[in-house]
Amino acid sequence: TNRTSPRCLEMLKNSSVDVAIVNLPEKMPFDNMTTKKTKTIQDVFIAGKAFSFLKNKKISLKELDRYPLLMLEKNTVTRKFFDQFCKNKGVNVIPEIELGSVDLLVEMAQIGLGISFVPMDAIEKSRTEDEIFMLDLKEKIPSRSLGIVTNNSIPVPVGAQKFIDLLEKEILY
């Protein structure tokens, strides 16, 4: 099931799923859950050919407000992280479009609809710099964590545990 991190945690709380792989929030919204940080992720701003004039140019967070920004929905961990980052820098950024999918944010940036804020891992290595590029932001965006979360109220089924083991060994490290 592919949902936003808060929705995945809600599903885990309600025992609709056995395990959740999420962008870890600063504070877990529910008690009785075990969290294991598994990977550090770095967010970046990306744009497509329509914004090639920004390529290799250092740009400030405040300057980004001049362009259409594409962001995840307000209730996501990534968006809360972004909003807090902006607040800490004294910048109020209002997105042009809000979506629930990082894949859509990448696609929309690629076709020139705006500048997207996405995890670096979301940019496919097969894309050329002519299709999409990372902006050089003056401010340093802090890294954050991806993690595996289980509900202490329900036993983790053997299949789910094998899946967790596979993720820990092969994918997330």
Side-chain angles (χ1 to χ4, degrees):
T1 303
N2 182 9
R3 301 284 186 270
T4 63
S5 295
R7 180 69 184 119
C8 287
L9 292 173
E10 183 73 34
M11 291 171 72
L12 183 62
K13 177 186 173 230
N14 296 331
S15 303
S16 300
V17 296
D18 298 317
V19 62
I21 294 91
V22 299
N23 292 309
L24 293 175
E26 262 187 52
K27 182 181 182 293
M28 286 301 284
F30 307 113
D31 295 329
N32 209 25
M33 293 198 181
T34 299
T35 302
K36 184 172 184 182
K37 288 183 183 181
T38 54
K39 183 177 183 178
T40 300
I41 55 176
Q42 183 63 54
D43 295 292
V44 295
F45 285 96
I46 60 168
K49 286 186 235 183
F51 296 91
S52 60
F53 58 92
L54 295 174
K55 195 184 276 193
N56 302 319
K57 178 182 175 193
K58 255 211 190 309
I59 186 167
S60 72
L61 191 57
K62 186 149 185 76
E63 289 174 277
L64 277 180
D65 201 30
R66 297 181 196 159
Y67 308 103
L69 291 180
L70 314 172
M71 297 284 164
L72 284 176
E73 299 167 341
K74 270 194 177 284
N75 67 337
T76 62
V77 172
T78 298
R79 180 60 185 280
K80 288 177 184 174
F81 171 81
F82 173 78
D83 289 346
Q84 187 60 50
F85 172 65
C86 289
K87 184 179 177 184
N88 291 346
K89 299 295 180 184
V91 177
N92 183 29
V93 176
I94 299 170
E96 190 83 19
I97 298 173
E98 296 176 337
L99 298 166
S101 164
V102 170
D103 293 335
L104 279 175
L105 289 174
V106 173
E107 292 298 321
M108 292 180 90
Q110 184 176 342
I111 62 173
L113 293 179
I115 296 170
S116 293
F117 182 75
V118 298
M120 191 182 300
D121 290 353
I123 305 167
E124 296 173 20
K125 295 185 181 9
S126 62
R127 295 180 197 269
T128 67
E129 274 200 37
D130 289 340
E131 294 176 314
I132 209 157
F133 64 95
M134 288 187 287
L135 276 69
D136 188 5
L137 195 66
K138 288 180 183 176
E139 295 86 356
K140 169 127 177 64
I141 301 169
S143 59
R144 53 199 182 103
S145 297
L146 189 67
I148 298 172
V149 185
T150 54
N151 183 338
N152 296 337
S153 299
I154 56 171
V156 178
V158 174
Q161 186 58 55
K162 295 284 185 194
F163 179 65
I164 291 168
D165 294 344
L166 176 68
L167 287 173
E168 289 176 337
K169 290 178 184 155
E170 302 296 328
I171 299 171
L172 297 176
Y173 288 113

